[in-house]
Amino acid sequence: MDLEGVIRNRPAKKDSWKTVLTLAYQSLGVVYGDLSTSPLYVYKSTFAEDIQHSETNEEIYGVLSFVFWTLTLVPLVKYVFIVLRADDNGEGGTFALYSLLCRHARVSSLPNCQLADEELSEYTKDGIVSTSKTVAGSSLKSTLEKYRVLQTLLLVLALIGTCMVIGDGVLTPAISVFSAVSGLELSMSKEQHRYVEVPVACIILIFLFALQHYGTHRVGFLFAPVVITWLLCISAIGLYNIFHWNPHVYQALSPYYMYKFLKKTQRGGWMSLGGILLCITGSEAMFADLGHFSQLSIKIAFTFVVYPSLILAYMGQAAYLSKHHAIESNYRIGFYVSVPEKIRWPVLAIAILAAVVGSQAIITGTFSIIKQCSALGCFPRVKIVHTSSKIHGQIYIPEINWTLMLLCLAVTIGFRDTKRMGNASGLAVITVMLVTTCLMSLVIVLCWHKSVFLALCFIFFFGSIEALYFSASLIKFLEGAWVPIALSFIFLVVMFVWHYGTLKKYESDVQNKVSINWLLSLGPTLGIVRVRGIGLIHTELVSGIPAIFSHFVTNLPAFHQVVVFLCIKSVPVPHVRPDERFLVGRVGPKEYRLYRCIARYGYRDIHKDDLEFEKDLVRSIAEFIRSESPECSLKLEESEDDEKMTVVGTSSSNLRGIRLSEDSDISEVIGTSELREIKSPGRLKKRVRFVLPESPQIERDAQAELLELMEAREAGMAFILGHSYVRAKRGSSLIKKVVINFGYDFLRRNFRGPTYALNIPHASTLEVGMIYHV
């Protein structure tokens, strides 16, 4: 499937109002499922223990005031009007902000970056709103580039935010489904309800995770109608409760009621903020899912549909509770008690569907962020399955899916109440928001080139609000808030150990690479017999000759007639255009037939399957051979070892260049090209042809080289994978020995290998290991 072509041909997101409104409609099901279900549990969590609902209504009015201003300041002002503008070529999320900072301050954690990568189209096209650099911005940039410890802190900060998002992927399905199912409590006794609620929630969660491998494209069209129906439902119920019970509840929107609330409740009111915080769970999805929609569509959906519906829902609940003080027990102060009795069962069904949709969105978002972390070398390799050939970004990761399901069930069975689940979910949500605020303040200075004063105002205003909620959530550490901290710590250790081990392995590869003088001393035959075929040597190096090659040449009597040093690497941009995919160069003189090919992918890009990749790889080398003639004018880049690297696109992006044709009919004529007289040996079943552009002027040497490449492709490809095993050398610290010898080695052995995870050619694979002491 040509997913690359799908990405390249995606319709423009701002073509017309029809397109914008269509995307806004679709975003309701993907982006706002989690946020729209928050009325199910906000009041229930807030009044769980710390404060009591009294006759004066000061508590319920104060909570409503806090909910209103929190929804207004954080999702509406911060995200809709400010954070959404900090997109990375249309992509959002924690890693998008980190990627922006990496490119503007050269603090990337990727070890094999090249100057040629900075020439990529998306490297500089990131929506900068100002080009005038400030003195403070230049000073901050130089400071970050100078001190390695600051770069490490920036990476850790981004990883903490990422780990909390993964933790939210465990907690959100649990609390959403559990709160939706809790509507059963009004239809049965408390004793019966206790034995029904948890099993029903667990069955729904198992069903949800079990369906993930089918993808959401088959039922995705139902997501937006479900969420719209839910939003219309809660806003209609809210309007009914306002006019029927307390039309004057709008007065509680005044900030004065927040002051009265804190003055009366004091410490209990401050601790209850952890429940109020849940009204903005899912707000981060507006930024994280930006890549699937557009800024304008997400703004329209939230401002004109989601925001007013949520405000009406919370006001309606407050209006009902303001006239009903004699509720049997606090656990029944939740959403369903304010729903008219005649429509409770339909509302319960819609709520469960909405909770499933919201959970689906956060699970898919977790898959996406794991893929980004893995691409940027911060998470072990995992199997990534693309569940749709038409919709970009719909992926499924089996290992993560079943891990999330087990953790989600453990949380549901272990807590069995909304209060502790809310404490856990609230801490995860507010931590992600704090990380976003910190990274945004750096983006304002480094990427937008605004003043430091403006950045300080941003972090002080929004950071103060979020710090207040963070402190209220952290105080509930023993009452559930320890869960996201424990989960995040585990994932953070895994990520940092993998990143550290990967970095050390690459440094060892660089230190042990072979000099070009050694290669030149071997001569064109490399001192061995050159057999027919193409030998692909996978390496992380972007320059120089890997030690694995010298190991082969020294110990094996024969090697392939064409040798390609292949590097598949990620760059700190979301997507690499297909016409900029490959960097191809020559290693040594022409007669050696040694090439270097660097395949570049963005952190959101899709890796092709091995057969398509092989064809693109061979065609890119052929295009490089053709481009060396004086008449061709492809762009050349200089690598660190002064190898001239040519930018070559994939076959789908370069229709005017050389095309590769493979078939099994040896009698077919080659076609209009200078190679039309070159015929494959009849004994071979597979036939390879290079179809050249009309009237190409190719030198005789280049023609002979293309012929040899064609024959080598017909003979087959062998993929030689070098495994570099790192061990801590003697005298290393205890921490380093534990991290390298146990942590990194355990992850390397128990996660996917590069041949499986990267979809690199593995039909004929030979794996050889080398041990480095670091």
Side-chain angles (χ1 to χ4, degrees):
M1 60 184 176
D2 187 14
L3 288 171
E4 215 168 53
V6 172
I7 298 169
R8 191 180 67 260
N9 297 319
R10 278 186 299 179
K13 296 178 181 177
K14 297 183 181 180
D15 282 349
S16 64
W17 277 105
K18 181 180 178 181
T19 304
V20 172
L21 293 177
T22 301
L23 288 170
Y25 166 77
Q26 294 172 345
S27 71
L28 289 171
V30 177
V31 178
Y32 298 109
D34 184 16
L35 184 61
S36 65
T37 54
S38 56
L40 287 170
Y41 45 79
V42 168
Y43 284 140
K44 191 173 183 178
S45 299
T46 304
F47 288 95
E49 185 178 280
D50 303 306
I51 55 176
Q52 301 296 323
H53 183 39
S54 65
E55 296 284 344
T56 62
N57 288 324
E58 288 182 343
E59 294 85 1
I60 192 65
Y61 283 176
V63 170
L64 175 60
S65 185
F66 263 106
V67 167
F68 172 75
W69 287 105
T70 303
L71 275 171
T72 302
L73 293 176
V74 179
L76 186 63
V77 176
K78 177 187 172 183
Y79 280 95
V80 170
F81 292 110
I82 301 176
V83 175
L84 283 181
R85 298 175 63 210
D87 65 300
D88 182 11
N89 295 284
E91 298 291 339
T94 304
F95 258 91
L97 294 177
Y98 180 69
S99 175
L100 278 177
L101 295 172
C102 285
R103 300 206 304 272
H104 284 80
R106 296 181 185 272
V107 293
S108 176
S109 61
L110 295 171
N112 53 2
C113 292
Q114 297 171 275
L115 291 176
D117 297 337
E118 299 182 12
E119 302 297 326
L120 291 169
S121 302
E122 292 197 0
Y123 201 90
T124 54
K125 186 188 69 177
D126 51 27
I128 296 177
V129 295
S130 175
T131 56
S132 57
K133 296 184 178 180
T134 61
V135 176
S138 300
S139 176
L140 179 60
K141 178 185 176 210
S142 60
T143 303
L144 282 173
E145 292 175 350
K146 182 179 179 181
Y147 295 103
R148 183 69 183 174
V149 64
L150 294 180
Q151 299 174 23
T152 304
L153 286 176
L154 187 63
L155 174 64
V156 171
L157 183 65
L159 292 181
I160 288 174
T162 302
C163 293
M164 283 293 180
V165 171
I166 298 172
D168 198 27
V170 173
L171 298 165
T172 294
I175 190 173
S176 297
V177 172
F178 190 86
S179 299
V181 173
S182 67
L184 296 170
E185 68 189 5
L186 299 179
S187 303
M188 57 184 69
S189 65
K190 187 173 181 180
E191 290 72 20
Q192 293 175 327
H193 164 253
R194 182 171 33 179
Y195 297 107
V196 172
E197 187 177 34
V198 174
V200 171
C202 289
I203 290 171
I204 294 174
L205 288 171
I206 292 173
F207 179 76
L208 173 64
F209 283 100
L211 292 180
Q212 290 301 312
H213 71 281
Y214 291 110
T216 59
H217 59 285
R218 293 182 178 87
V219 294
F221 67 94
L222 294 174
F223 286 1
V226 166
V227 175
I228 289 176
T229 303
W230 170 249
L231 289 172
L232 290 175
C233 180
I234 61 175
S235 56
I237 293 171
L239 281 171
Y240 169 79
N241 285 329
I242 291 171
F243 288 106
H244 188 265
W245 297 110
N246 188 356
H248 301 289
V249 73
Y250 68 89
Q251 296 175 354
L253 303 182
S254 169
Y256 175 68
Y257 283 91
M258 290 193 291
Y259 167 74
K260 290 183 67 177
F261 171 77
L262 291 177
K263 183 179 180 180
K264 179 179 180 180
T265 57
Q266 297 182 356
R267 188 175 187 273
W270 168 63
M271 294 180 67
S272 70
L273 294 179
I276 297 172
L277 163 66
L278 298 176
C279 71
I280 53 175
T281 55
S283 300
E284 187 74 19
M286 286 192 287
F287 186 44
D289 293 328
L290 182 60
H292 302 297
F293 304 99
S294 66
Q295 289 187 30
L296 186 57
S297 64
I298 288 180
K299 289 177 180 179
I300 289 174
F302 181 78
T303 307
F304 296 103
V305 181
V306 179
Y307 177 74
S309 298
L310 290 175
I311 297 300
L312 288 175
Y314 288 115
M315 289 177 66
Q317 288 187 61
Y320 177 88
L321 294 172
S322 67
K323 299 300 181 181
H324 295 79
H325 304 100
I327 298 177
E328 294 179 13
S329 60
N330 286 330
Y331 84 95
R332 299 186 65 178
I333 202 172
F335 168 78
Y336 290 103
V337 74
S338 65
V339 177
E341 190 172 353
K342 292 181 180 180
I343 61 171
R344 276 179 185 166
W345 282 106
V347 171
L348 174 65
I350 298 171
I352 292 175
L353 288 175
V356 169
V357 170
S359 301
Q360 171 64 50
I362 193 68
I363 293 168
T364 304
T366 304
F367 293 158
S368 180
I369 203 163
I370 289 288
K371 178 182 181 295
Q372 294 179 34
C373 294
S374 181
L376 294 177
C378 295
F379 198 85
R381 302 182 187 94
V382 289
K383 179 183 180 181
I384 297 174
V385 179
H386 297 276
T387 58
S388 174
S389 60
K390 296 180 180 179
I391 304 175
H392 169 63
Q394 288 196 0
I395 61 174
Y396 167 68
I397 304 177
E399 301 97 318
I400 302 301
N401 181 66
W402 302 121
T403 302
L404 290 180
M405 187 191 77
L406 293 175
L407 292 173
C408 198
L409 291 175
V411 168
T412 305
I413 297 171
F415 284 163
R416 298 190 297 277
D417 69 80
T418 308
K419 173 196 164 189
R420 286 185 289 180
M421 289 184 191
N423 294 338
S425 180
L427 184 61
V429 168
I430 201 63
T431 305
V432 175
M433 291 183 175
L434 272 172
V435 170
T436 300
T437 300
C438 295
L439 294 178
M440 266 301 302
S441 62
L442 294 176
V443 169
I444 290 173
V445 177
L446 295 175
C447 305
W448 291 356
H449 308 303
K450 298 295 184 181
S451 65
V452 175
F453 176 75
L454 192 64
L456 289 176
C457 289
F458 177 86
I459 195 172
F460 178 77
F461 182 75
F462 292 107
S464 299
I465 297 172
E466 291 159 1
L468 178 65
Y469 282 117
F470 180 78
S471 64
S473 297
L474 197 60
I475 202 70
K476 303 289 186 67
F477 180 83
L478 297 178
E479 300 172 34
W482 61 270
V483 172
I485 294 178
L487 290 175
S488 299
F489 178 76
I490 293 171
F491 279 104
L492 183 64
V493 169
V494 169
M495 289 181 176
F496 201 79
V497 166
W498 183 260
H499 175 70
Y500 179 78
T502 303
L503 194 62
K504 289 298 179 183
K505 184 171 77 70
Y506 182 79
E507 291 175 355
S508 300
D509 287 337
V510 172
Q511 293 172 2
N512 290 275
K513 67 181 181 181
V514 181
S515 67
I516 191 68
N517 293 328
W518 172 85
L519 181 69
L520 294 174
S521 67
L522 298 176
T525 64
L526 304 180
I528 54 178
V529 178
R530 302 294 289 271
V531 298
R532 298 180 72 246
I534 298 177
L536 292 176
I537 301 178
H538 181 257
T539 176
E540 301 293 332
L541 296 175
V542 294
S543 63
I545 302 167
I548 189 68
F549 181 69
S550 66
H551 180 73
F552 263 91
V553 171
T554 305
N555 294 279
L556 294 181
F559 214 81
H560 300 86
Q561 66 186 108
V562 175
V563 178
V564 181
F565 297 109
L566 174 63
C567 175
I568 300 175
K569 73 169 189 174
S570 296
V571 289
V573 296
H575 301 286
V576 175
R577 288 171 48 182
D579 57 348
E580 299 174 326
R581 173 74 66 219
F582 293 103
L583 276 176
V584 185
R586 191 185 298 280
V587 180
K590 277 188 177 183
E591 58 270 20
Y592 283 36
R593 302 294 191 255
L594 267 62
Y595 306 96
R596 183 184 311 283
C597 186
I598 301 171
R600 302 179 292 182
Y601 290 90
Y603 57 80
R604 296 278 303 213
D605 270 332
I606 299 163
H607 291 254
K608 285 188 171 184
D609 59 53
D610 52 358
L611 294 178
E612 279 189 278
F613 184 86
E614 284 184 13
K615 292 179 181 179
D616 277 343
L617 179 65
V618 175
R619 196 207 61 83
S620 66
I621 296 173
E623 188 68 22
F624 164 75
I625 294 171
R626 186 178 76 92
S627 73
E628 283 193 312
S629 58
E631 290 80 5
C632 296
S633 58
L634 288 180
K635 186 177 182 181
L636 298 179
E637 303 290 349
E638 295 292 328
S639 76
E640 289 80 355
D641 280 5
D642 295 328
E643 299 169 6
K644 288 186 177 181
M645 305 292 287
T646 304
V647 179
V648 182
T650 61
S651 56
S652 61
S653 67
N654 189 0
L655 300 179
R656 295 185 179 181
I658 289 180
R659 288 182 293 120
L660 179 66
S661 176
E662 296 184 357
D663 54 60
S664 57
D665 184 5
I666 65 172
S667 62
E668 186 179 346
V669 180
I670 287 182
T672 57
S673 73
E674 288 195 7
L675 301 182
R676 64 168 59 90
E677 299 299 328
I678 301 173
K679 296 184 179 180
S680 309
R683 58 186 172 85
L684 292 175
K685 292 183 179 180
K686 181 170 68 174
R687 186 182 187 197
V688 178
R689 300 176 299 148
F690 289 127
V691 181
L692 306 183
E694 293 184 3
S695 303
Q697 302 296 322
I698 299 183
E699 296 178 349
R700 189 171 298 275
D701 290 345
Q703 186 174 340
E705 195 170 357
L706 284 172
L707 174 61
E708 188 170 353
L709 178 63
M710 185 175 68
E711 292 177 344
R713 171 59 177 156
E714 286 178 341
M717 304 181 77
F719 194 82
I720 300 155
L721 179 64
H723 280 299
S724 301
Y725 302 97
V726 290
R727 306 289 294 177
K729 57 187 176 183
R730 291 183 178 180
S732 300
S733 64
L734 179 62
I735 295 178
K736 185 176 182 179
K737 288 180 179 179
V738 170
V739 169
I740 296 294
N741 296 350
F742 297 99
Y744 181 72
D745 187 62
F746 174 82
L747 295 175
R748 180 188 58 77
R749 286 187 285 105
N750 289 276
F751 279 84
R752 304 282 180 173
T755 54
Y756 198 89
L758 296 177
N759 275 337
I760 51 183
H762 52 272
S764 177
T765 306
L766 178 62
E767 300 187 28
V768 178
M770 300 184 69
I771 298 179
Y772 295 134
H773 292 276
V774 298

